[in-house]
């Protein structure tokens, strides 16, 4: 009779130490991820603090209507996707270039120093990056304007100038992430079979031919996979970056607001719960579908690297 | 690769020379771009207020001055408290995070655990779908009462699924035979984890531990969400810096406590001096720890 118990319960009993060892991490994940997931019902409710998540009245799709009719839905979605695409393209090109240059370079100390210097920005907080932006671009004292004035040129006021922000943000993203990706692609280049290069040398191939016909094809799978995986996160804006770099500046929100900053600002400043939940659900649903799509594509190209 | 290309003992070709020149130029320029913001902040922090107000920030300060640091250390209580909060949160969070993550990773890597795929997916799923910020925020504040507590700074980033998977792949590399022999000696799972698995994946633990520690050290987001203005005694370093930089009241409050009249407070260089002080430990430790991070990134790249 005892052996015919449900296999799960039986495992729970036999492997109770293993299950106990999983417990702390599982509790954190349940509290921080799974229970809040239940809160997505908020997107269909009008939240009031007194009644809580489950007591507040249902309002159907009103929150979504509000979000889409505000005109913000389109602009923040557009910004999120376009910025992510731009970051992806610029960063990938820079990362691959640096990785190839570093891999072929002979000078050991030069290699080590440049790689360390370029990797370093990855380790500092976005608050510190915010200080960099202030230090460089502040209208009155910023180093950029000091420099422009010393040349007798007009200082730029970036805080009311929408056109410069895409460039600043792309530059900051590269500053923070190029080193990280370079290390990654460098590892991928090091995995290429060294015999290919020796054979190419014997055939009299020059540097460019080796890069074109060995290195680039060699890292192609990594590039393709990282690109596809990036599609899965294209709806997620880098909140910390946008918040700190733009300083939440109201003058240029049209071109700097992404879904994540919009949601956080509405939550903290307007205490707008229903509409922000709707925006959040819209974002996580699309993100989820995109991850599934990306995974399907990876499975097709490189089945070994599929996420699940 | 570099050495291999020269094995042929060919004379150094023109392509190699051009390539080396391009490499050195491109890498030098990019490194300079990465270094420049740090140098600007450093030099700004050693400038004096009047020269900044008249000339602006410069790469080489007009007049060298230690005023900003002197003022900052005149009222060290706030700064030291912020440091204390950050160190406490980083140490506690890293220890607990590493302990919980590695225990779970051990179980998920064990081939005798029948439900390993299901449980792995249970963890993994949270990284591809979430309920969004608002339900999470309401749950944490209204139901868990994290508002104005240190738990709010530790709990949200305690478990990171990516690190769990990295450690799991480290643990999966340990030969099963080692576990078996320990088991024959009568060791239970927890003992095997502690005595066999942990010592064998020290490198993995170091890497993941440093990533967790870095996340805690740099965190300001949870402080922004969960700490009220009145609870500045709980502010971690980065959030304290954030306020000095973005809220003029924060500098004014510091000035009032230092006893200096507001007009004499070097507010501009102080912002940058604060930035330097908050980043200092990372700059000092970076040369020693870099290799572990490189390892972590490499594993992440290969094993996804």
């Amino acid at each position: 009779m005892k052996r015919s118990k449900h296999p799960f319960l039986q495992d729970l009993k036999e492997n109770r130490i293993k299950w106990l060892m999983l417990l702390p991490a599982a509790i954190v994940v349940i509290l921080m991820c799974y229970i809040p997931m239940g809160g997505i019902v908020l997107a269909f409710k009008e939240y009031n603090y007194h009644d809580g998540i489950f007591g507040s009245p249902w309002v159907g799709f009103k929150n979504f209507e509000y979000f889409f009719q505000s005109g913000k839905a389109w602009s923040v979605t557009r910004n999120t996707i376009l910025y992510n695409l731009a970051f992806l393209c610029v960063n990938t090109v820079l990362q691959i270039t640096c990785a190839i240059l570093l891999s072929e370079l002979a000078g050991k100390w030069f290699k080590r120093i440049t790689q360390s210097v370029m990797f370093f920005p990855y380790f500092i907080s976005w608050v510190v990056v915010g200080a960099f932006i202030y230090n460089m671009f502040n209208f009155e004292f910023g180093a950029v304007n000091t420099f422009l004035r010393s040349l007798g040129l007009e200082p730029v006021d970036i805080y009311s100038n929408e056109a410069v922000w895409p460039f600043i943000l792309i530059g900051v993203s590269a500053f923070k992430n190029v080193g990280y990706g370079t290390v990654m692609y460098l590892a991928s280049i090091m995995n290429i079979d060294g015999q290919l290069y020796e054979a190419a040398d014997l055939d009299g191939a020059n540097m460019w031919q080796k890069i074109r016909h060995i290195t680039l094809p060699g890292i192609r799978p990594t590039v393709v996979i990282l690109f596809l995986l990036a599609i899965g996160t294209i709806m997620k804006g880098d909140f910390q970056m946008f918040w700190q770099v733009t300083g939440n500046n109201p003058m240029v929100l049209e071109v700097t607001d992404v879904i994540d900053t919009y949601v956080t600002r509405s939550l903290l400043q307007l205490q707008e719960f229903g509409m922000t939940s709707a925006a959040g659900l819209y974002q996580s649903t699309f993100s989820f579908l995109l991850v599934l799509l990306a995974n399907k594509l990876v499975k097709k190209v490189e089945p070994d690297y599929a996420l699940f | 690769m570099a050495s291999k290309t020269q094995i042929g003992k060919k004379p150094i070709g023109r392509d190699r020379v051009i390539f080396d020149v391009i490499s050195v130029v491109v890498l030098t320029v990019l490194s300079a771009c990465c270094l420049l913001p740090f140098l600007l902040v450093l030099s700004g922090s050693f400038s004096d207020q009047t020269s900044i107000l008249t000339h602006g920030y410069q790469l080489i300060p007009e007049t060298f001055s230690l005023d900003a640091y002197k003022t900052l250390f005149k009222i060290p209580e706030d700064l030291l408290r912020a440091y204390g909060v950050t160190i406490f949160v980083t140490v506690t969070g890293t220890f607990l995070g590493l302990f919980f993550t590695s225990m779970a990773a051990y179980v998920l890597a064990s081939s005798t655990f029948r439900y390993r795929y299901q449980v792995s997916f249970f963890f993994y799923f949270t990284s591809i779908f979430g309920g969004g910020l608002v339900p999470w925020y309401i749950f944490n504040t209204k139901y868990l009462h994290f508002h104005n507590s240190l738990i709010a700074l530790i709990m949200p980033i305690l478990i990171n699924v990516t690190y769990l998977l990295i450690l799991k792949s480290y643990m999966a590399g340990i030969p099963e035979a080692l576990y078996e022999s320990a088991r024959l000696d009568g060791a239970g799972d927890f003992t095997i984890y502690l005595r066999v698995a942990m010592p064998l994946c020290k490198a993995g633990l170091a890497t993941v531990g440093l990533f967790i520690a870095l996340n805690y050290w740099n965190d300001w987001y949870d402080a922004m969400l969960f700490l009220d203005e009145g609870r500045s005694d709980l502010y971690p370093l980065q959030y304290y810096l954030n306020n000095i930089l973005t809220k003029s009241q924060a500098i004014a409050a510091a000035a009032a406590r230092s006893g200096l009249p507001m007009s004499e407070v070097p507010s501009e260089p102080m912002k940058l001096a604060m930035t330097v002080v908050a980043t200092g430990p990372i700059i000092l430790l970076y040369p020693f720890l870099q290799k572990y991070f490189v390892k972590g990134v490499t594993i992440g790249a290969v094993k996804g």
Side-chain angles (χ1 to χ4, degrees):
Chain A
M1 201 57 215
K2 260 183 181 168
R3 296 219 60 78
S4 66
K5 251 200 295 189
H6 193 280
F8 177 72
L9 293 177
Q10 196 180 327
D11 192 71
L12 213 52
K13 198 176 165 200
E14 276 171 14
N15 281 324
R16 61 182 174 281
I17 300 293
K18 282 199 173 90
W19 284 101
L20 273 177
M21 288 168 76
L22 282 171
L23 200 58
I27 288 176
V28 174
V29 166
I30 288 171
L31 285 179
M32 290 293 109
C33 305
Y34 280 101
I35 294 180
M37 258 181 228
I40 53 183
V41 294
L42 262 186
F44 307 97
K45 289 187 163 206
E46 180 158 339
Y47 180 75
N48 65 70
Y49 188 81
H50 178 72
D51 294 328
I53 292 181
F54 298 102
S56 296
W58 295 94
V59 292
F61 283 90
K62 224 177 84 191
N63 291 324
F64 289 91
E65 275 168 34
Y66 183 40
F67 175 53
F68 286 102
Q69 281 166 4
S70 69
K72 285 302 269 180
W74 158 243
S75 80
V76 292
T77 306
R78 177 202 62 199
N79 288 348
T80 311
I81 292 176
L82 287 183
Y83 274 117
N84 277 334
L85 277 178
F87 296 159
L88 180 64
C89 295
V90 172
N91 291 350
T92 305
V93 168
L94 282 173
Q95 287 159 352
I96 293 176
T97 310
C98 289
I100 290 177
L101 296 182
L102 282 168
S103 74
E104 293 283 349
L105 213 55
K108 205 173 176 194
W109 64 265
F110 180 78
K111 227 164 110 167
R112 194 177 290 170
I113 289 177
T114 46
Q115 193 191 329
S116 301
V117 168
M118 287 192 294
F119 195 18
F120 186 62
Y122 177 76
F123 295 89
I124 55 169
S125 80
W126 281 109
V127 179
V128 173
V129 177
F132 290 166
I133 297 296
Y134 172 81
N135 180 218
M136 287 205 273
F137 294 109
N138 179 280
F139 179 70
E140 288 126 51
F141 335 114
V144 169
N145 281 346
T146 307
F147 182 66
L148 290 176
R149 284 196 194 97
S150 75
L151 295 178
L153 295 169
E154 280 293 303
V156 267
D157 182 9
I158 61 156
Y159 291 100
S160 60
N161 186 347
E162 289 188 345
V164 296
W165 279 100
F167 296 101
I168 294 180
L169 286 162
I170 289 171
V172 171
S173 174
F175 168 75
K176 197 92 162 69
N177 296 312
V178 163
Y180 182 89
T182 301
V183 171
M184 214 159 54
Y185 283 115
L186 201 52
S188 164
I189 292 177
M190 290 305 166
N191 277 336
I192 299 173
D193 186 358
Q195 287 182 344
L196 292 173
Y197 290 95
E198 285 165 32
D201 279 333
L202 291 177
D203 291 342
N206 67 26
M207 301 278 311
W208 320 111
Q209 288 167 327
K210 279 187 282 183
I211 291 172
R212 241 203 91 189
H213 297 290
I214 302 175
T215 312
L216 287 178
I219 59 172
R220 212 187 72 108
T222 313
V223 181
V224 171
I225 290 153
L226 291 176
F227 241 87
L228 292 178
L229 295 183
I231 292 178
T233 56
I234 207 153
M235 284 279 279
K236 287 192 180 128
D238 188 340
F239 171 82
Q240 301 210 3
M241 166 177 173
F242 283 90
W243 191 267
Q244 286 294 346
V245 171
T246 65
N248 204 13
N249 171 11
M251 313 263 278
V252 290
L253 279 182
E254 182 58 27
V255 295
T256 59
D257 215 10
V258 292
I259 301 174
D260 306 70
T261 46
Y262 175 65
V263 167
T264 308
R265 187 161 7 81
S266 309
L267 175 69
L268 293 181
Q269 294 173 358
L270 308 173
Q271 299 282 312
E272 172 60 80
F273 292 103
M275 190 269 289
T276 44
S277 319
L281 183 57
Y282 154 77
Q283 182 186 32
S284 22
T285 309
F286 267 94
S287 292
F288 182 62
L289 295 176
L290 285 167
V291 172
L292 295 185
L293 174 75
N295 189 54
K296 206 164 205 172
L297 293 174
V298 173
K299 243 181 198 161
K300 230 174 219 165
V301 193
E302 293 281 326
D304 290 349
Y305 288 86
L307 294 168
F308 42 84
Chain B
M1 296 306 113
S3 53
K4 277 174 190 153
T5 53
Q6 280 162 13
I7 287 172
K9 285 194 188 125
K10 285 186 303 187
I12 294 172
R14 220 164 62 108
D15 54 335
R16 165 58 65 190
V17 176
I18 298 174
F19 181 87
D20 280 356
V21 171
I22 294 176
S23 299
V24 171
V25 171
V26 170
L27 292 172
T28 308
V29 169
L30 287 177
S31 302
C33 289
C34 289
L35 219 50
L36 189 66
F38 292 94
L39 295 178
L40 278 170
V41 163
L42 197 63
S43 91
S45 73
F46 286 110
S47 305
D48 80 350
Q49 175 85 348
T50 28
S51 84
I52 291 174
L53 293 185
T54 46
H55 303 286
Y57 289 118
Q58 286 162 310
L59 189 52
I60 296 137
E62 197 90 349
T63 38
F64 181 83
S65 153
L66 285 172
D67 285 352
Y69 291 94
K70 278 184 193 149
T71 319
L72 210 57
F73 290 116
K74 209 177 249 175
I75 36 153
E77 296 87 3
D78 289 349
L79 184 59
L80 287 178
R81 193 178 300 121
Y83 249 105
V85 170
T86 292
I87 289 172
F88 174 78
V89 166
T90 304
V91 170
T92 317
T94 308
F95 175 76
L96 289 179
L98 204 51
F99 181 47
F100 293 174
T101 309
S102 61
M103 255 190 326
Y106 165 80
V107 177
L108 296 181
S110 138
S111 57
T112 56
F113 184 56
R114 192 212 287 231
Y115 292 95
R116 61 188 182 282
Y117 296 115
Q118 289 89 330
V119 178
S120 292
F121 190 76
F122 163 83
F123 282 109
Y124 181 70
F125 184 70
T126 61
S127 68
I128 56 174
F129 186 75
L133 172 70
V134 182
W136 179 75
Y137 177 80
I138 293 177
F139 180 67
N140 282 352
T141 49
K142 185 175 159 70
Y143 297 97
L144 293 177
H145 302 290
F146 277 180
H147 228 100
N148 293 328
S149 78
L150 284 179
I151 304 178
L153 304 183
I154 294 177
M155 191 77 151
I157 51 177
L158 191 58
I159 300 293
N160 180 316
V161 173
T162 312
Y163 303 154
L164 176 61
L165 297 180
I166 288 181
L167 273 186
K168 182 185 143 192
S169 72
Y170 260 103
M171 302 251 183
I174 299 172
E176 192 71 23
L178 289 174
Y179 292 160
E180 272 314 309
S181 66
R183 203 160 281 136
L184 288 178
D185 289 342
D189 272 311
F190 188 75
T191 316
I192 296 175
Y193 151 78
L194 205 62
R195 298 278 165 80
V196 184
M198 293 287 266
L200 284 174
C201 61
K202 263 189 203 141
L205 290 171
T207 304
V208 169
L210 285 170
F211 270 105
I212 298 177
L214 185 72
N215 292 342
Y216 277 111
W217 186 273
N218 282 341
D219 186 39
W220 54 278
Y221 178 65
D222 297 299
M224 180 183 82
L225 285 181
F226 296 118
L227 300 183
D228 287 338
E229 303 240 332
R231 292 310 299 273
S232 56
D233 57 317
L234 293 180
Y235 283 4
L237 192 56
Q238 300 297 331
Y239 191 57
Y240 179 67
L241 171 65
N242 176 69
N243 285 351
I244 293 275
L245 290 169
T246 56
K247 295 184 181 149
S248 49
Q249 312 96 287
I251 284 262
R257 295 190 44 186
S258 71
L260 287 171
M262 191 55 205
S263 57
E264 279 175 40
V265 174
S267 57
E268 286 307 316
M270 246 177 91
K271 292 177 183 172
L272 302 189
M274 186 58 219
T275 309
V276 173
V277 171
T279 321
I282 293 195
I283 297 183
L284 294 179
L285 290 174
Y286 177 64
F288 306 102
L289 303 179
Q290 190 200 0
K291 63 172 183 215
Y292 294 101
F293 287 106
V294 169
K295 209 176 266 169
V297 176
T298 314
I299 293 169
V302 178
K303 300 201 170 145

